Amino acid sequence: MARYDRAITVFSPDGHLFQVEYALEAVRKGNAAVGVRGTDTIVLGVEKKSTVKLQDSRSVRKIVSLDDHIALACAGLKADARVLINKARIECQSHRLTVEDPVTVEYITRYIAGLQQKYTQSGGVRPFGLSTLIVGFDPYTGVPSLYQTDPSGTFSAWKANATGRNSNSMREFLEKNYKETSGQETIKLAIRALLEVVESGGKNIEVAVMTKEGLRQLEEAEIDAIVAEIETEKAAAEAAKKGPAKET
Amino acid sequence: MECVFGMVGKRFALVVADTSAVNSILVHKSNEDKIMVLDSHKLMGASGEAGDRAQFTEYVQKNVALYHFRNGIPLTTKAAANFMRGELATALRKNPYMVNIVLAGYEKETGPSLYFIDYIATLHKVEKAAFGYGSYFSLAMMDRHYHPDMTVEEAIKLAEQCIEEIRSRLVVAPQNFVIKIVDKDGAREHSWRRTTKD
């Protein structure tokens, strides 16, 4: 097997592209990221590692704007992310210049996925070690979308998804608890999913909300307030479960 | 025959442009907007070859937007002016853009500013600027009546005087003019001065 992961262009006998799979491993080691689509809101949440005390956290923005109506969060190699994000931003403006229209979410996702695929079929290069969650509103229909891409270059649309560390647990939680939500409920659902795998607290989570008006990064205080709300709801649910049992 | 001029007032800047699109003796339309809103606090009045004007101004607008997304803060007016001058200079000895630009911008830190950028990449930071045959009249008018720290009313009155002068003294004067203003609340259209409806 060791002979089939040297140059990316080589398939293994059983049809694997090992470099791509190793890239997915890198993604699995990256920070947790979650995206939830509501009817009028789409929420992105990313885990923030709080171990670095001297670092100025404002310089590490994990959820970025690609255009006025598109935002991206990712899990994996952050340096690779910078390159992809830069290219995507240029493409957003280039599209506006050539056709005088903003990009649709699907277009820019296809573009980013296309870039990721190109690097799985070229000589001497390695794939990008990251999966992205791309959110936005269609500039004409106003329909919200959430897309995910991965190092192999595949992409698809989702109602809610997670990537990075413990993404399976988050996805399971979302599968069990997803329902059509809007506004604050969507934000709560995204944070609840993230809290399944992340230490609770505003300084461990970065949350951004995309509405028709644009992207809004939530303040730490706001996140703390919502987390507190979620904890009280959880406690109330626990108490309700135990309550009736005691009476009998 | 295209007239573009601008001036700096007290905490605002004004750009005025004619709105005619002309091909030899035919007027295609008289409501062509030649003052592009570059970003929230910048105005760019452009005159010259119509194709080059559209191409260059749109290119600059998209690059200004890209800078904003990449760096999280907008370009200063000075930086945008220098970027434009650089692009014009690079293209000059290969494939020049025949576009003259009056760039007006407002920053909280430095206040309003006005830049004169001509097609051979001259860049000047000025208080008042004008391009085209109309400049013979509007510059003279502004030289006589302009003073620093004018109010919006005074500046609009001066702009009207310039437009009147152009209308009465230029043999093929443009029919309509648009006035745009940029101040702390952003760049926006102020008003029109029409002689024909289009």
Side-chain angles (χ1 to χ4, degrees):
Chain A
M1 257 203 317
R3 288 177 303 177
Y4 296 106
D5 57 18
R6 202 128 286 210
I8 183 60
T9 45
V10 182
F11 273 106
S12 70
D14 54 346
H16 288 261
L17 286 170
F18 281 114
Q19 281 299 300
V20 176
E21 296 186 6
Y22 298 160
L24 279 157
E25 266 307 306
V27 171
R28 261 174 240 128
K29 291 196 166 42
N31 52 239
V34 70
V36 179
R37 185 187 82 192
T39 52
D40 60 354
T41 313
I42 326 166
V43 184
L44 281 172
V46 177
E47 166 194 10
K48 254 196 321 204
K49 292 207 181 82
S50 60
T51 48
V52 276
K53 293 206 164 79
L54 292 174
Q55 189 182 73
D56 187 348
S57 55
R58 290 170 305 170
S59 68
V60 190
R61 276 259 155 264
K62 301 206 174 163
I63 304 174
V64 296
S65 275
L66 296 183
D67 203 341
D68 296 320
H69 59 303
I70 313 251
L72 174 148
C74 55
L77 269 47
K78 288 295 182 277
D80 287 3
R82 255 200 337 263
V83 174
L84 270 182
I85 289 168
N86 194 30
K87 289 197 183 165
R89 282 173 168 159
I90 294 175
E91 180 61 21
C92 284
Q93 295 306 313
S94 180
H95 187 273
R96 279 180 185 258
L97 184 60
T98 47
V99 303
E100 281 220 4
D101 272 343
V103 295
T104 57
V105 192
E106 202 249 340
Y107 177 94
I108 198 65
T109 308
R110 209 170 345 113
Y111 177 79
I112 293 176
L115 273 176
Q116 287 180 292
Q117 190 281 339
K118 217 182 291 218
Y119 281 69
T120 67
Q121 212 176 10
S122 303
V125 297
R126 62 163 177 80
F128 288 99
L130 69 144
S131 291
T132 68
L133 286 170
I134 300 166
V135 301
F137 283 84
D138 186 296
Y140 300 99
T141 62
V143 169
S145 317
L146 164 67
Y147 281 85
Q148 190 210 32
T149 72
D150 64 29
S152 63
T154 50
F155 72 95
S156 52
W158 294 75
K159 294 183 192 158
N161 201 1
T163 179
R165 232 160 41 88
N166 303 117
S167 57
N168 288 324
S169 337
M170 284 194 283
R171 210 172 298 119
E172 256 178 61
F173 174 86
L174 286 167
E175 279 172 13
K176 260 194 261 173
N177 294 283
Y178 180 82
K179 55 184 198 308
E180 285 285 322
T181 51
S182 68
Q184 195 71 351
E185 284 305 309
T186 322
I187 305 176
K188 264 209 233 159
L189 182 57
I191 296 182
R192 273 167 64 205
L194 209 45
L195 287 178
E196 292 281 307
V197 302
V198 173
E199 244 178 80
S200 132
K203 55 181 171 55
N204 299 312
I205 307 178
E206 187 178 315
V207 180
V209 181
M210 174 70 88
T211 55
K212 286 221 178 77
E213 280 75 58
L215 187 71
R216 187 169 69 91
Q217 305 264 5
L218 295 189
E219 307 264 319
E220 218 179 276
E222 263 183 279
I223 302 175
D224 278 331
I226 301 176
V227 168
E229 237 183 276
I230 294 171
E231 311 258 276
T232 44
E233 279 174 11
K234 247 199 245 180
E238 290 286 315
K241 260 195 268 174
K242 288 200 191 110
K246 265 197 214 146
E247 279 166 31
T248 53
Chain B
M1 302 309 166
E2 292 193 342
C3 311
V4 180
F5 62 92
M7 63 190 91
V8 174
K10 190 175 180 62
R11 287 195 287 270
F12 70 92
L14 210 65
V15 179
V16 183
D18 78 285
T19 57
S20 62
V22 167
N23 192 345
S24 122
I25 58 166
L26 174 70
V27 178
H28 282 295
K29 58 196 295 222
S30 12
N31 59 358
E32 170 86 354
D33 189 351
K34 296 177 194 164
I35 308 179
M36 174 173 269
V37 175
L38 204 52
D39 73 11
S40 63
H41 287 75
K42 288 183 197 46
L43 283 175
M44 179 170 60
S47 71
E49 236 4 278
D52 282 349
R53 173 163 48 81
Q55 189 78 338
F56 185 73
T57 57
E58 286 174 11
Y59 174 73
V60 170
Q61 189 193 49
K62 301 319 183 229
N63 272 284
V64 168
L66 184 61
Y67 181 95
H68 188 57
F69 282 110
R70 273 184 172 153
N71 300 286
I73 51 167
L75 269 173
T76 58
T77 317
K78 179 173 168 189
N82 278 281
F83 169 70
M84 281 190 237
R85 194 214 70 85
E87 291 293 310
L88 287 166
T90 311
L92 181 62
R93 310 236 176 226
K94 293 196 181 84
N95 196 6
Y97 290 104
M98 303 300 284
V99 206
N100 299 308
I101 289 168
V102 172
L103 175 69
Y106 184 90
E107 266 105 50
K108 219 168 37 150
E109 300 83 14
T110 52
S113 49
L114 193 71
Y115 289 86
F116 169 104
I117 307 169
D118 83 5
Y119 73 103
I120 37 180
T122 308
L123 172 66
H124 289 307
K125 182 174 187 306
V126 291
E127 300 281 289
K128 44 185 155 37
F131 280 112
Y133 284 121
S135 69
Y136 291 119
F137 310 106
S138 46
L139 272 175
M141 213 59 187
M142 289 195 281
D143 282 344
R144 174 72 183 81
H145 295 290
Y146 176 88
H147 59 90
D149 290 337
M150 288 191 294
T151 64
V152 179
E153 292 73 29
E154 288 174 328
I156 294 290
K157 191 155 153 296
L158 178 51
E160 279 174 348
Q161 285 176 306
C162 294
I163 292 172
E164 262 318 295
E165 202 61 19
I166 292 171
R167 276 196 180 134
S168 56
R169 289 298 183 185
L170 191 53
V171 63
V172 202
Q175 283 142 326
N176 301 333
F177 287 81
V178 67
I179 304 175
K180 293 199 182 178
I181 187 171
V182 59
D183 61 15
K184 66 171 180 14
D185 300 320
R188 58 193 181 280
E189 195 179 282
H190 183 278
S191 49
W192 286 70
R193 297 287 179 276
R194 288 179 217 269
T195 53
T196 60
K197 262 194 309 149
D198 191 314

